Amino acid sequence: MPLWLMLWIAPVFGQKNMREKLFAFPVKSSTSYVRISPDHNGPFREASVCMRFHSDLTWGYSLFSWSTKTNVNSFLIYYYPGSGNQFYQEVYGYNHRYYLQDNITEWTSMCVTWDSSVWGLFIDGKYYKVNMKTDVEISGDPIVIIGQWQISHGGGFYASWSFAGEMTDVNMWDKALTDENMMDYFADNEMSGNVINWKALNYTLHGDVTIKPYVDPYPCVHVVL
């Protein structure tokens, strides 16, 4: 096969500082997603994922899917908009639904955290916390995907469960973030994950996902007195 043809059909990939950039998913699809290569694979007995996203979808979509050969839903984050208005979190067979007070209609900043005793969702300044006894460990070579729910390890995607919209500032840590950590993330205080780092991201684009500039919809305004 000619080299130019191999380059044309290969997924777009790279490692780069994604600051002030976003991934745009134009429509629900079973073929569009971003695969991320984490900086290390664990094992994890606690973890946190933060991101910012916007979508006009009125039915459910997957935001983050960490799959291993031993458990396809090692770490899953899924959102149900509309009347249900809930986030679904799954860690190695355990799961919880967070019922939100307000519907998400604009750009949203979100952190999901987990350790052996407490799970939490911090979203737009509101903290939802639950006591969950989950003495589990996530280990093994992962496949990490944003924008799709892995039904099988690395695949089995359904368009009806996929994400359409825009996503940025995706970071992951191998620890449960504190309340102060999450507030720092929301305040854009230059927090970077040590498992997935948005400012040094290893990724491959698949399908119709594109990279676009990200402009903060809620910039800080400095008042001069």
Side-chain angles (χ1 to χ4, degrees):
M1 180 182 295
L3 178 59
W4 67 266
L5 182 57
M6 294 175 64
L7 293 174
W8 182 76
I9 64 175
V12 180
F13 66 95
Q15 178 185 23
K16 64 170 64 176
N17 184 347
M18 293 291 289
R19 182 178 172 82
E20 298 182 353
K21 297 181 175 64
L22 60 78
F23 290 130
F25 302 74
V27 294
K28 275 182 169 282
S29 163
S30 62
T31 57
S32 295
Y33 60 96
V34 180
R35 178 167 173 172
I36 296 175
S37 298
D39 291 337
H40 69 90
N41 299 340
F44 306 117
R45 299 189 69 85
E46 54 186 274
S48 301
V49 173
C50 294
M51 65 176 64
R52 308 180 203 276
F53 67 95
H54 173 262
S55 176
D56 294 324
L57 294 174
T58 57
W59 66 99
Y61 49 85
S62 176
L63 291 165
F64 183 90
S65 175
W66 180 296
S67 169
T68 61
K69 291 182 180 179
T70 54
N71 194 302
V72 69
N73 292 327
S74 290
F75 199 122
L76 173 70
I77 306 171
Y78 192 94
Y79 176 56
Y80 297 89
S83 58
N85 195 29
Q86 58 189 274
F87 266 89
Y88 175 85
Q89 176 185 0
E90 183 166 342
V91 178
Y92 219 82
Y94 295 86
N95 63 76
H96 181 72
R97 296 174 187 265
Y98 303 92
Y99 293 88
L100 307 189
Q101 297 175 17
D102 303 306
N103 283 299
I104 294 174
T105 57
E106 306 294 341
W107 269 99
T108 297
S109 297
M110 176 269 293
C111 290
V112 171
T113 187
W114 147 72
D115 64 23
S116 61
S117 59
V118 177
W119 292 20
L121 166 70
F122 208 116
I123 183 165
D124 288 341
K126 294 185 176 66
Y127 195 16
Y128 303 80
K129 186 184 297 186
V130 62
N131 294 325
M132 290 279 289
K133 299 296 183 182
T134 50
D135 187 19
V136 297
E137 179 180 275
I138 298 175
S139 61
D141 293 335
I143 296 177
V144 184
I145 286 173
I146 56 175
Q148 297 283 355
W149 183 341
Q150 298 178 69
I151 305 305
S152 59
H153 188 52
F157 306 135
Y158 289 96
S160 57
W161 295 349
S162 66
F163 175 75
E166 297 173 330
M167 190 182 301
T168 189
D169 207 13
V170 181
N171 288 277
M172 181 176 179
W173 295 261
D174 58 1
K175 65 179 182 178
L177 296 182
T178 65
D179 297 8
E180 292 77 12
N181 292 153
M182 289 183 281
M183 288 302 296
D184 282 344
Y185 171 82
F186 288 161
D188 196 23
N189 287 350
E190 301 297 325
M191 284 188 62
S192 297
N194 65 340
V195 178
I196 295 173
N197 182 352
W198 188 250
K199 298 183 181 69
L201 193 69
N202 290 282
Y203 64 89
T204 56
L205 301 184
H206 298 260
D208 294 330
V209 183
T210 58
I211 298 173
K212 295 182 178 181
Y214 170 69
V215 178
D216 189 346
Y218 311 112
C220 294
V221 177
H222 299 281
V223 179
V224 179
L225 300 178

